[in-house]
Amino acid sequence: MPVKITIIGLGQIGASIGLALAAHKDRVVTVGHDKEYSIEQRAKKLGVVNETNHNLPSSVENADLVILALPVNEIREILGHIAQDLRKDAVVVETSPVKAEVTKWMQEALPETAHYVGVVPAIGAAYLDLTASGLDSAKADLFEKGVFLVSAPSGTPGEAVKLVTDLVSLLGSTSILTDFIESDGLMASSYLLPRLASAALLNGTMSQPGWNEAKKSASRGYFAATSALLDNSMDGLAMLTEQNRSNVIHHLNAMINSLLDLRDDLEHEEHDSLVKHLMSAKEGRE
């Protein structure tokens, strides 16, 4: 029998999952839910899901797998609405990039008969320059040749984890099995730090005299360096950062030290050292 999957949250991530699964109608049946009824209806017309259900509790009643593709600041409330309607052995997956608090919420809210597996999706290289968000930016191949970090609490049945890794395979991606601590450490540097660096660059330049004129000359480099902020609500980003506090502080300190190295090179007119630091960065990016 096909696996029944409910996707809650039909933005870029949730809708892209639905579009990718649409190519496997023999293996999965999808139900979509979004807090915006109009988004649900558009998603169905676009073929994102087989059907929609705007009644949140009933949307998960018969699902084998429930995917919460939501901002972190919405997850806890949604769990309160669906927990008691999950079928026996249902697997709940969420896509938040930070797991520390989410794991606690899952333990508090889910019945003993349900299982939790956390994932962190990384989109494929073809879409690394995609700055749009929401349903209209969803792509069936968004995760093609990408990776998913997959974490589960101790004692989670192997069948539950396999259900999730099988899902990742259907999306054209690769599962990397990890734990919540390691996952949060990786996300501090690869997800949160770029966004905080964008915020620091913006705040540091906008506060300078003459910015109203200087901003007219800002072009591709400035746009690229500040684009990391485009796909987040600031409340959600602040929450993610606070939930991963110790890891983020560690990586902020490392970035501050790197900036100080560049400043010292300039201050002491150390041309060779400046070139060395810049070349190291360029080679690292490549």
Side-chain angles (χ1 to χ4, degrees):
M1 291 181 62
V3 175
K4 296 180 180 179
I5 300 176
T6 295
I7 304 171
I8 299 176
L10 298 173
Q12 183 187 72
I13 298 298
S16 294
I17 291 173
L19 286 171
L21 294 177
H24 304 281
K25 295 187 186 300
D26 58 325
R27 301 182 63 177
V28 299
V29 175
T30 55
V31 176
H33 172 91
D34 194 278
K35 61 183 179 182
E36 299 291 340
Y37 181 75
S38 60
I39 290 179
E40 283 182 358
Q41 297 309 300
R42 286 178 54 222
K44 186 175 181 180
K45 288 181 181 178
L46 291 170
V48 171
V49 289
N50 298 119
E51 59 183 275
T52 61
N53 189 334
H54 199 60
N55 183 299
L56 183 56
S58 67
S59 72
V60 305
E61 281 182 349
N62 298 309
D64 301 297
L65 185 64
V66 176
I67 301 172
L68 306 182
L70 300 166
V72 68
N73 50 328
E74 296 180 16
I75 291 176
R76 194 173 195 177
E77 181 181 356
I78 294 297
L79 280 174
H81 291 299
I82 67 171
Q84 298 308 311
D85 295 279
L86 296 168
R87 64 181 294 177
K88 184 178 182 296
D89 289 326
V91 178
V92 177
V93 171
E94 52 74 38
T95 61
S96 167
V98 177
K99 304 303 183 190
E101 288 299 311
V102 175
T103 305
K104 296 177 184 176
W105 300 340
M106 292 289 178
Q107 291 173 340
E108 293 168 359
L110 293 184
E112 292 183 2
T113 55
H115 312 293
Y116 162 57
V117 178
V119 303
V120 181
I123 66 174
Y127 291 110
L128 288 179
D129 60 351
L130 180 65
T131 57
S133 60
L135 175 60
D136 291 331
S137 66
K139 310 287 183 182
D141 60 344
L142 186 70
F143 308 109
E144 191 73 30
K145 297 182 181 179
V147 299
F148 276 60
L149 301 182
V150 179
S151 312
S154 177
T156 302
E159 294 85 352
V161 177
K162 186 177 186 304
L163 184 62
V164 176
T165 56
D166 286 348
L167 166 72
V168 172
S169 295
L170 292 181
L171 301 180
S173 200
T174 300
S175 296
I176 298 178
L177 298 179
T178 181
D179 58 43
F180 297 119
I181 294 174
E182 183 180 16
S183 178
D184 283 357
L186 293 169
M187 287 301 101
S189 59
S190 64
Y191 182 90
L192 293 173
L193 189 62
R195 286 155 175 79
L196 296 177
S198 291
L201 174 58
L202 284 158
N203 289 333
T205 49
M206 291 188 302
S207 64
Q208 296 300 307
W211 175 247
N212 280 338
E213 290 302 315
K215 68 183 180 184
K216 297 174 184 176
S217 65
S219 56
R220 186 173 64 177
Y222 192 91
F223 177 83
T226 57
S227 291
L229 278 181
L230 296 178
D231 62 349
N232 284 89
S233 78
M234 295 306 97
D235 182 61
L237 179 57
M239 182 178 287
L240 289 170
T241 303
E242 290 163 349
Q243 289 178 0
N244 206 3
R245 181 179 285 103
S246 60
N247 283 319
V248 171
I249 290 172
H250 170 77
H251 289 291
L252 280 173
N253 285 334
M255 186 178 72
I256 290 168
N257 288 334
S258 182
L259 287 169
L260 289 174
D261 286 340
L262 295 176
R263 187 201 66 181
D264 290 346
D265 289 342
L266 288 169
E267 191 170 60
H268 301 297
E269 299 182 3
E270 296 284 351
H271 173 78
D272 291 345
S273 180
L274 177 60
V275 171
K276 180 180 178 181
H277 284 128
L278 295 177
M279 284 300 299
S280 175
K282 186 175 186 292
E283 290 167 3
R285 187 181 190 281
E286 291 171 353

